[in-house]
Amino acid sequence: MPTIPITCLGLSHDTAPLELRERLRCTLAKLDDVIRPTSGCQRFGGCREFAVLSTCNRVEIYASMDPDAGDARTVLSEIVTEATGVDVSRFADYLYYYNDMDAVEHLCRVAAGLESLVLGEQQILGQVSDALHEAVQLGTTGPQISMAFHTAIRAGRKARTVTGIGHNPASLSSVAIAYAQRKVGDLADRRVLVVGLGEMGNLTLKVLRSRGINRVSIANRTFERAAAVAKESGYEAFSLSDLPRALALADIVIAATASPDIIMTPQMVRDATAERNGRELVLIDIAVPRNIDPAVADLPDVSLCDTDNLQGTLDEALSQRRKEIAPVEKVIAEEITTLEKELQGMSFRPLITELRQKVESIRQQELKRALHQMGELDSQTMEQIQHFSRSLVNKLMHRPTTRLKQEASNGHAEDYEATVRALFGLSEDREGSVR
């Protein structure tokens, strides 16, 4: 059965702790510097195509390797070590590894939201699309990676169209808000501070609005942006430099900035709680890397939760989404079958090319002989004879080539290829076929 010769090496919230995921986050550009260094060193030259899917909850490298490049798992692990500075021994036990169609199926499951922290989340499909686009822009992709990602993107879109996996909206933001409600009860009279206006921050604000929670304030590195967003909804805006005052006023804080550094230290939170007269402060960190120093959890009157803690606190909506897992898996299986049929057809392309080349060679030889016997002809007659011979060959070849493609999709590729090569005396060298 033809397949796509790619490898996936990754880790996710299911296999690795947050601390390790933070350290191993890497960009495609960083990987490209390692795999194709400007110095000309080709240590990882056997990696022909590659793309990276790096999100808050997973880091995955997809690569197409030369057959003689060595063990793909070892090579890709060394690439991660080179790109991040984290020794392979620190993360080897947390990795998962897929080859060929298993790698494609895994990517389909990721794109459809089946492997997300929050089942069926919407953002991951866009992140898969962005990963492919970035690889195309940087020139690190090719036919193998492209086919795998396009199949996954189709599966993800179809899953959200024909199943209910995307219904009953749930996200890490909604899970965080549900956690806050369990901690303090009704949020209507509570002050909620959202820190950061990136994708997760904006999604958090959207969830708060949809639930009628209006006592909201926003803190952002760029105060002007925070003020503009706050003005639209009647919220209060703060800059990050004014974060201590915002913390003192809040009951629940949801941190979601893209900062690579800690922005809430134990001292900052201690100073904020000193002004609260014993009122509990609930801090929820949904950023990766984390925005809040984990040591804050040891402070009195403070409750801290991060993405790992949210694993078991999903919304009630997720119970409905779990019922859609089997229909989504059926969609993925259909897309994999479609891909396999496409690959079967592609496996005949070298054969069909050889066959047409041989027939064309015969046409030209016989035409040359006939024209020699016919003597001098005018250009119009010459063109008519040329057209007749090409048309005859095309009509004779149409049915065989169509049938070859059909039989390829039916799984009879090898038997038919051997027969055609024997009948037409074609070379047995099949190099270049999709395996």
Side-chain angles (χ1 to χ4, degrees):
M1 177 69 69
T3 188
I4 297 181
I6 66 170
T7 294
C8 167
L9 185 80
L11 49 77
S12 72
H13 59 92
D14 279 332
T15 67
L18 177 59
E19 179 186 6
L20 186 59
R21 301 200 306 272
E22 288 175 333
R23 295 188 64 191
L24 290 179
R25 289 193 75 187
C26 54
T27 65
L28 181 65
K30 182 67 174 177
L31 286 177
D32 192 36
D33 287 343
V34 171
I35 296 172
R36 304 187 302 187
T38 54
S39 64
C41 173
Q42 290 297 304
R43 179 182 172 192
F44 302 115
C47 188
R48 296 179 297 187
E49 303 176 27
F50 54 97
V52 60
L53 178 60
S54 184
T55 73
C56 293
N57 294 310
R58 70 181 60 253
V59 178
E60 296 179 345
I61 299 174
Y62 292 84
S64 176
M65 314 288 291
D66 282 327
D68 58 353
D71 178 66
R73 180 170 188 162
T74 300
V75 173
L76 292 179
S77 297
E78 291 174 353
I79 289 172
V80 173
T81 290
E82 197 82 15
T84 64
V86 181
D87 188 85
V88 65
S89 63
R90 298 290 303 276
F91 60 82
D93 292 341
Y94 299 97
L95 294 172
Y96 46 80
Y97 181 70
Y98 298 99
N99 266 329
D100 303 333
M101 293 305 281
D102 288 340
V104 179
E105 181 179 357
H106 173 74
L107 184 56
C108 288
R109 291 180 63 86
V110 170
L114 293 185
E115 302 296 330
S116 295
L117 174 65
V118 178
L119 182 66
E121 59 135 330
Q122 299 287 342
Q123 294 92 334
I124 188 62
L125 180 57
Q127 290 166 334
V128 171
S129 298
D130 290 344
L132 175 61
H133 178 73
E134 186 179 10
V136 171
Q137 292 295 105
L138 203 57
T140 67
T141 189
Q144 315 298 348
I145 294 294
S146 182
M147 289 182 71
F149 271 76
H150 281 299
T151 298
I153 292 167
R154 284 196 303 271
R157 287 174 179 165
K158 187 175 179 181
R160 287 168 174 80
T161 301
V162 304
T163 78
I165 194 69
H167 298 170
N168 305 301
S171 64
L172 193 57
S173 296
S174 65
V175 171
I177 292 167
Y179 171 83
Q181 288 174 320
R182 282 191 291 275
K183 290 292 292 184
V184 304
D186 188 4
L187 299 184
D189 295 324
R190 304 284 186 164
R191 292 188 60 121
V192 180
L193 170 65
V194 177
V195 184
L197 283 175
E199 183 178 3
M200 293 300 296
N202 279 309
L203 183 58
T204 300
L205 291 174
K206 182 179 178 181
V207 175
L208 289 169
R209 283 193 295 267
S210 71
R211 300 190 181 187
I213 301 169
N214 298 315
R215 299 188 68 190
V216 177
S217 52
I218 304 169
N220 192 57
R221 189 172 303 279
T222 306
F223 175 75
E224 290 76 14
R225 187 178 176 206
V229 174
K231 184 177 180 179
E232 293 176 2
S233 303
Y235 300 156
E236 187 174 4
F238 296 89
S239 67
L240 285 190
S241 61
D242 206 16
L243 188 55
R245 186 167 70 92
L247 288 175
L249 296 172
D251 298 304
I252 297 117
V253 179
I254 301 176
T257 81
S259 172
D261 303 314
I262 294 293
I263 63 172
M264 293 185 213
T265 64
Q267 187 60 52
M268 180 189 296
V269 176
R270 186 181 294 109
D271 292 344
T273 56
E275 303 178 33
R276 299 174 57 81
N277 299 320
R279 287 186 299 120
E280 183 182 23
L281 177 61
V282 177
L283 302 173
I284 306 172
D285 192 348
I286 59 175
V288 178
R290 284 173 286 194
N291 289 165
I292 305 174
D293 191 319
V296 166
D298 297 328
L299 298 177
D301 302 319
V302 174
S303 174
L304 174 62
C305 175
D306 61 26
T307 56
D308 280 354
N309 303 136
L310 293 174
Q311 179 78 45
T313 61
L314 304 183
D315 273 336
E316 182 180 345
L318 292 181
S319 65
Q320 296 298 318
R321 290 189 174 191
R322 290 190 186 97
K323 298 176 182 178
E324 300 299 321
I325 292 177
V328 171
E329 289 177 335
K330 182 180 178 181
V331 167
I332 292 172
E334 291 170 351
E335 289 299 322
I336 293 294
T337 298
T338 298
L339 175 61
E340 287 174 340
K341 289 182 177 180
E342 182 181 350
L343 291 172
Q344 287 277 18
M346 289 175 62
S347 69
F348 267 143
R349 288 181 183 175
L351 173 62
I352 292 172
T353 298
E354 287 181 53
L355 183 56
R356 286 193 171 275
Q357 287 174 344
K358 180 153 190 173
V359 172
E360 174 62 15
S361 176
I362 294 172
R363 183 190 75 85
Q364 292 184 13
Q365 289 174 6
E366 294 304 312
L367 182 63
K368 182 178 180 181
R369 182 180 293 112
L371 292 175
H372 178 73
Q373 294 174 351
M374 295 171 69
E376 188 174 344
L377 300 173
D378 61 80
S379 59
Q380 185 176 1
T381 302
M382 286 277 291
E383 181 57 35
Q384 288 175 341
I385 293 173
Q386 286 276 9
H387 175 75
F388 167 76
S389 64
R390 291 194 191 99
S391 179
L392 180 62
V393 166
N394 287 336
K395 288 184 182 298
L396 287 171
M397 288 293 294
H398 175 71
R399 178 61 180 170
T401 54
T402 301
R403 184 61 183 272
L404 282 173
K405 293 175 182 178
Q406 291 174 343
E407 293 304 324
S409 65
N410 291 333
H412 302 146
E414 292 187 4
D415 292 341
Y416 268 76
E417 180 165 2
T419 300
V420 170
R421 289 185 180 278
L423 286 174
F424 288 88
L426 299 177
S427 169
E428 292 298 323
D429 181 9
R430 305 179 190 185
E431 185 178 353
S433 298
V434 177
R435 65 179 180 87

